[in-house]
């Protein structure tokens, strides 16, 4: 009986700490998902022709990576959040792709991977049956786009392969 009492007291002391950690996790996860959603949209636009579309892709990526939301997260204790590295890696890969190709190169694999990532991220942000549907559809779309082996050694080919791998992991 004494052990049970000690266990219950210990549990009652640990529960608030666990709850606070969970609340902190949620506090940082939702904004990070939103930033990743901006980045996946930028990735999708980066493969479309037209200077104005590519400028929009660059604007979305800049906003996600250095806008007020990211700045607030860095100053609010999320700099060490596990999703922060993934978000920065995704943003860097988009900038790398935009730098590597002065003009858009139609890349269906990148477009589909970006769309699948957007669907999966939307599924994480939504909270009802639509969330499960979006997650399922995103996974299905991604499974229909087999990863490609890029044999080219150009800066664009390397940037596209890197971004494709990150998009497949996003969401």
């Amino acid at each position: 009986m004494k052990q049970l009492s000690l266990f219950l007291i210990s549990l009652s002391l640990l529960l608030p700490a666990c709850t606070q950690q969970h609340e902190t996790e949620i506090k940082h996860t939702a904004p990070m998902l939103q930033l990743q959603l901006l980045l996946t949209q930028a990735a999708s636009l980066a493969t479309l022709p037209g200077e104005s579309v590519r400028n929009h892709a660059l604007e979305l990526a800049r906003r996600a990576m250095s806008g007020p939301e990211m700045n607030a997260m860095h100053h609010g204790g999320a700099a060490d959040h596990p999703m922060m590295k993934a978000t920065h890696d995704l943003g860097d890969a988009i900038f790398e792709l935009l730098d590597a190709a002065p003009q858009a190169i139609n890349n269906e694999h990148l477009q589909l991977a970006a769309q699948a990532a957007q669907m999966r991220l939307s599924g994480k942000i939504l909270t009802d049956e639509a969330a499960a549907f979006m997650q399922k559809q995103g996974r299905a779309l991604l499974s229909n786009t087999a990863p490609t082996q890029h044999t080219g050694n150009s800066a664009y080919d390397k940037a596209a392969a890197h971004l494709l791998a990150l998009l497949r992991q996003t969401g």
Side-chain angles (χ1 to χ4, degrees), residues 73-87:
M73 288 179 27
H74 274 283
H75 289 91
D80 295 327
H81 190 277
M83 288 178 67
M84 185 63 80
K85 181 178 178 354
T87 303

Side-chain angles (χ1 to χ4, degrees), residues 89-90 92-93 96 110 150 157-167:
D89 289 348
L90 184 60
D92 291 345
E96 184 181 338
L110 279 178
H150 292 280
D157 289 334
K158 291 176 183 177
H162 182 230
L163 180 56
L164 182 61
L166 292 174
L167 286 169

